[in-house]
Amino acid sequence: MSRQIFVNLPVRHLPRSVEFFTALGFTFDPRFTDENATSMVVAEGIHVMLLVEPFFQTFTDRRIADARTRTEVLVCLSCDSDAEVDDLVDRAVAAGGRAHRTPQDHGFMYAHGFEDPDGHLWELAHMRSMPA
């Protein structure tokens, strides 16, 4: 099985961020781009989701860290099935972590997550089908 990684970063002004990273040579997947977010392609299987702060806030009940004074990301790993998502959360809890939020069934995607012992949030997602 090949995993993918999606690093989610809050941004204040999405067009400015897109312009900046375009200047560095990165491209963006238009299938996952709207006024709230864009998917920056880092490499095959590695993406950085640039999310405007209000949209980013919907993924956590914690305040968004100011990256100029603190470091924080949401790391998302792909899974092969809903069962694998749930199994990884269960194993994380058994190893000393805690479940993060409740499972989310979006139809095309199933997601859940955990907090590791250091407080980092890990999202796990089974993409049942890609949105059009």
Side-chain angles (χ1 to χ4, degrees):
M1 181 194 82
S2 176
R3 291 198 188 272
Q4 297 183 60
I5 186 168
F6 297 86
V7 177
N8 297 268
L9 297 176
V11 299
R12 288 185 173 85
H13 190 262
L14 187 59
R16 182 187 64 202
S17 296
V18 170
E19 181 180 336
F20 174 79
F21 287 109
T22 298
L24 297 178
F26 289 100
T27 61
F28 298 86
D29 188 334
R31 297 174 302 164
F32 301 102
T33 298
D34 63 18
E35 68 279 358
N36 290 313
T38 190
S39 177
M40 183 173 71
V41 179
V42 175
E44 184 175 330
I46 302 173
H47 306 268
V48 174
M49 298 300 299
L50 302 175
L51 311 172
V52 294
E53 288 182 343
F55 185 61
F56 185 95
Q57 190 68 66
T58 67
F59 292 94
T60 179
D61 57 0
R62 296 179 182 184
R63 289 187 356 224
I64 296 173
D66 181 344
R68 294 173 294 191
T69 60
R70 290 183 166 76
T71 303
E72 182 58 70
V73 297
L74 294 173
V75 178
C76 181
L77 300 176
S78 66
C79 294
D80 284 341
S81 67
D82 296 4
E84 183 182 16
V85 169
D86 291 334
D87 179 61
L88 286 171
V89 171
D90 291 345
R91 291 192 302 171
V93 170
R98 72 174 187 88
H100 172 66
R101 301 192 314 157
T102 58
Q104 307 287 309
D105 188 343
H106 300 285
F108 71 94
M109 177 181 76
Y110 178 78
H112 198 191
F114 63 88
E115 179 177 326
D116 71 21
D118 292 306
H120 300 291
L121 302 177
W122 293 82
E123 297 287 329
L124 306 168
H126 171 225
M127 299 298 284
R128 296 172 179 145
S129 63
M130 298 303 275

